[in-house]
Amino acid sequence: MIEIQDLTVRIGATEILKDLNLTIAANNWTCFVGPNGAGKTTLLKSILGSQSYAGSLKDDGVEVFNNHDRNVAFVPQHPQIPVGMSVTEYVMLGRAKRDGWGTESKESRALVVDTLKLTGLYGMQNQFITRLSGGEMQRALIARALVQQPELILLDEPTSALDLHHQIAVLNKIEILKEREVTIISTMHDITLAAMYADQIVVMKEGRILLSGASDVVVHSDQLKEAFENRINVFTLDSGRSVILPNK
Amino acid sequence: MIFEKRGNRELRSIWDWRITAVAALLLLIIGLLGISFGPINLRFDQIFKTILGLPNGLTDQERAVLIDLRLPRVLLAALVGGALATSGAVYQTVFRNPLADPYLLGAASGAGLGATIAITNAHGNLYGLLPVFAFCGAILAVLVGFFISGKFFAEPNSLLLSGIAVGSFATAVQTYLQQRHSASLRPVYSWILGELTAASWRVVTWSSIYILIALAILFAISKQLDGLMLTDEEAYSLGINPNQIRVIAVIAATLATATAVAASGLIGFVGIVVPHLVRGVSHRVTNRALSTIALVGAAFLVLADLGARTLLSPAELPIGVITAFVGAPFFLVVLRRKRMVNQ
């Protein structure tokens, strides 16, 4: 469980996050939504522990900043793609913390092979990572996160660069983590997809949290429309599923 | 990395130790050639006999050439080449810039300024302190670069840019000093182009201490350098502190560079040519290729020095001329292919 109290993050003179208070349940999928500049990515980095902050941000009762004992996987929106590294080597980086940098244990090799098969990357394991397509790269990132066997995974816009087919494919892979009792926190600009997959949705705007709660409750709330300045409409399909579309 | 078009081959079939072993053999052969050839040619069998203390070795005069001139010179070339190539590879990884090289941080220009001050001072009584001045100049330039760029690695390129600015400033001051003391123009000029003629056991001793310490540090952290090729958040989540690794890497690489510059002047392009060549051939990311890069860098400079000594024999070419002659065209090829890397 992650408990956030009076969290404020300043970068230079700008306050990116302002006095946030939030509790995120374990073994759940929580999704941050909101317009650009709402502070979603900064909140993810704060939860990762790499971003300094004022206030308190505790993961299972322990303050997270610079705490390297936790095992948290991070999937960035714009990864730096290393040159001269094969897909296997890239996924193997997920084991670096356990095995030590530059060494590979037998279990790690077996796990990496299994994970490559699971994510559909087996067969291109010796290719250079730079040669993967957008969808394959996203799966490589998920594969690396899977072999990390994290307690918590943070995903920054995991589907933003993908077509709908690959979006669903990647989101289904992320759901594998949920079965393994991993806490999932992601940002997502597509609220319809967020509502389909996430258990909890947190609506953010200008560094503040407007609303948080169970996905179906949040999707139908007025605060969601307010966050997007009433420029969205929420429709409910016969199946009970919600679809969020911009006003025309 | 720049030869990546052949990238689909089985990576794991290339064993790192084989490439490293070939590089070590290369260094050994070139080193032997470097010891053997010069204004006076020494025969291989006689060199071995002399070193092993067997009869029928070299004459006393040849022996003096071997022990006092050739050996320290070849050793120094190997040390300097290894230091420059390794720091080049590390800078390129740390700054995520395939064109970063030991000279872009202002270290070289700082060293140049320090040396010029030593050479051009009124009575020549600082000349013996040339290495110390060069060393201080290099360290000072890098520190100023750090200071100006403010947040060290918030944006890795800002350090590169401030390094270039500091370097230009140092070069400007150096040129001014040169013009004011036109009498000492020639020694400054020859030092700037790089020379290993000053090699002696004393120089080899002090430079080997600094260079070996710096290289030991770089090899110790080389595995974590892979993590610097990811975003800082990814690196953090995979268990390393990216800024800590960067600071250690830059300090150690600068120590190696400054020592190399102090010992042998400004020898350019080794730090770019060798890392790219080795990575291109071995298909390996920096850390797994680092030992090979060091060995090939050493061999490259011993070979370049051999060329500098023999091409216009008995006159000597500055070694920087040789490395630039090979390096500049290579640099342009890298520049042209950089687009591929960025894709």
Side-chain angles (χ1 to χ4, degrees):
Chain A
M1 190 169 75
I2 292 166
E3 296 159 290
I4 299 172
Q5 282 179 340
D6 304 325
L7 182 80
T8 299
V9 172
R10 281 185 200 85
I11 296 177
T14 323
E15 249 184 22
I16 309 286
L17 297 178
K18 298 158 188 164
D19 268 332
L20 301 195
N21 287 288
L22 180 67
T23 306
I24 296 171
N27 311 333
N28 251 324
W29 187 336
T30 302
C31 199
F32 301 152
V33 302
N36 291 340
K40 300 176 299 242
T41 301
T42 306
L43 184 52
L44 273 193
K45 289 180 184 175
S46 306
I47 295 171
L48 174 65
S50 67
Q51 172 69 53
S52 61
Y53 52 77
S56 160
L57 203 171
K58 286 181 178 167
D59 185 0
D60 283 335
V62 185
E63 206 66 49
V64 300
F65 180 60
N66 251 340
N67 178 353
H68 279 277
D69 297 334
R70 302 155 73 224
N71 189 2
V72 184
F74 188 87
V75 177
Q77 182 180 9
H78 304 291
Q80 286 268 354
I81 303 170
V83 176
M85 202 181 265
S86 72
V87 172
T88 309
E89 288 173 316
Y90 188 73
V91 173
M92 192 66 81
L93 288 178
R95 303 296 293 172
K97 201 169 178 173
R98 282 168 198 266
D99 292 352
W101 279 80
T103 49
E104 301 166 4
S105 67
K106 262 189 185 159
E107 301 102 283
S108 293
R109 279 169 193 259
L111 181 65
V112 165
V113 170
D114 287 349
T115 310
L116 286 172
K117 285 176 180 164
L118 183 72
T119 48
L121 292 169
Y122 197 73
M124 52 181 88
Q125 71 271 28
N126 290 321
Q127 267 188 35
F128 277 116
I129 192 84
T130 37
R131 306 204 76 77
L132 297 187
S133 70
E136 289 161 352
M137 186 62 215
Q138 207 62 33
R139 278 185 278 153
L141 281 164
I142 304 280
R144 194 185 67 195
L146 284 169
V147 300
Q148 215 178 325
Q149 298 179 321
E151 297 132 26
L152 169 65
I153 179 168
L154 306 169
L155 305 110
D156 196 4
E157 300 286 355
T159 58
S160 66
L162 306 176
D163 61 42
L164 194 59
H165 169 74
H166 284 101
Q167 287 185 10
I168 302 294
V170 163
L171 290 170
N172 288 340
K173 296 285 180 286
I174 298 170
E175 276 208 316
I176 298 169
L177 284 154
K178 212 168 123 185
E179 291 159 20
R180 298 182 183 178
E181 301 197 331
V182 177
T183 308
I184 304 166
I185 303 176
S186 70
T187 67
M188 205 122 71
H189 66 264
D190 189 325
I191 310 166
T192 305
L193 281 177
M196 262 172 76
Y197 284 90
D199 305 298
Q200 191 188 13
I201 288 182
V202 178
V203 184
M204 296 180 68
K205 192 186 180 186
E206 290 167 2
R208 297 180 197 281
I209 291 174
L210 294 188
L211 177 68
S212 70
S215 297
D216 48 344
V217 178
V218 170
V219 166
H220 293 103
S221 67
D222 290 337
Q223 284 97 324
L224 182 67
K225 288 185 178 173
E226 191 190 308
F228 290 92
E229 290 161 351
N230 289 319
R231 286 184 188 148
I232 55 168
N233 266 322
V234 181
F235 303 96
T236 308
L237 303 180
D238 293 340
S239 63
R241 197 158 266 176
S242 304
V243 176
I244 294 99
L245 293 172
N247 279 340
K248 207 183 169 192
Chain B
M1 63 195 285
I2 55 171
F3 301 96
E4 204 180 285
K5 275 184 179 163
R6 291 187 276 135
N8 281 346
R9 57 201 281 187
E10 178 74 27
L11 279 175
R12 291 194 177 265
S13 68
I14 298 176
W15 287 88
D16 210 21
W17 66 264
R18 276 191 229 169
I19 297 173
T20 312
V22 169
L25 195 67
L26 191 74
L27 173 60
L28 207 67
I29 293 170
I30 292 177
L32 205 57
L33 293 177
I35 293 170
S36 173
F37 289 109
I40 299 174
N41 290 337
L42 309 175
R43 277 170 50 194
F44 293 136
D45 58 326
Q46 291 182 326
I47 293 173
F48 280 121
K49 279 175 186 163
T50 307
I51 291 174
L52 296 173
L54 297 172
N56 299 325
L58 300 165
T59 63
D60 283 350
Q61 192 204 357
E62 288 172 334
R63 207 184 131 83
V65 170
L66 173 71
I67 304 293
D68 297 333
L69 296 176
R70 297 279 169 79
L71 268 181
R73 184 158 178 166
V74 165
L75 279 176
L76 189 66
L79 277 169
V80 167
L84 291 177
T86 311
S87 3
V90 169
Y91 283 133
Q92 282 146 27
T93 305
V94 168
F95 297 112
R96 295 179 185 141
N97 187 333
L99 299 179
D101 108 320
Y103 289 18
L104 273 184
L105 284 175
S109 314
L113 178 58
T116 308
I117 291 172
I119 297 171
T120 58
N121 79 93
H123 308 291
N125 52 8
L126 288 178
Y127 199 90
L129 291 174
L130 192 148
V132 181
F133 271 69
F135 190 85
C136 293
I139 294 288
L140 204 66
V142 172
L143 285 179
V144 172
F146 265 153
F147 183 72
I148 292 174
S149 71
K151 282 187 176 177
F152 287 159
F153 298 103
E155 193 217 326
N157 277 338
S158 68
L159 183 58
L160 265 187
L161 289 173
S162 66
I164 290 168
V166 171
S168 306
F169 183 78
T171 308
V173 177
Q174 183 198 326
T175 311
Y176 172 77
L177 283 176
Q178 272 179 36
Q179 296 304 325
R180 272 202 61 181
H181 304 272
S182 49
S184 44
L185 209 58
R186 208 185 131 77
V188 173
Y189 182 70
S190 110
W191 184 85
I192 285 171
L193 285 177
E195 54 174 15
L196 289 162
T197 42
S200 65
W201 285 109
R202 195 177 57 84
V203 178
V204 169
T205 308
W206 65 253
S207 55
S208 67
I209 291 172
Y210 290 121
I211 287 175
L212 293 180
I213 288 175
L215 292 190
I217 295 171
L218 291 177
F219 282 113
I221 60 162
S222 68
K223 281 164 182 153
Q224 280 99 321
L225 287 175
D226 272 356
L228 297 185
M229 296 198 289
L230 310 170
T231 63
D232 282 3
E233 286 76 28
E234 293 171 273
Y236 178 93
S237 90
L238 296 173
I240 64 175
N241 185 338
N243 279 347
Q244 193 186 335
I245 298 291
R246 282 197 189 100
V247 169
I248 297 172
V250 168
I251 288 176
T254 304
L255 177 64
T257 304
T259 311
V261 170
S264 61
L266 303 186
I267 301 174
F269 288 112
V270 182
I272 285 197
V273 175
V274 174
H276 283 283
L277 190 73
V278 171
R279 281 183 295 216
V281 171
S282 71
H283 296 274
R284 284 292 175 182
V285 287
T286 309
N287 91 51
R288 261 158 273 200
L290 207 60
S291 53
T292 316
I293 288 172
L295 289 168
V296 173
F300 177 75
L301 209 63
V302 174
L303 191 66
D305 182 50
L306 185 61
R309 278 188 282 138
T310 52
L311 285 180
L312 288 182
S313 178
E316 278 203 22
L317 270 174
I319 190 169
V321 170
I322 305 262
T323 56
F325 188 75
V326 181
F330 193 87
F331 191 91
L332 292 174
V333 173
V334 172
L335 207 63
R336 197 172 148 65
R337 299 220 182 181
K338 188 172 178 262
R339 272 175 302 154
M340 281 173 52
V341 175
N342 284 343
Q343 273 165 9

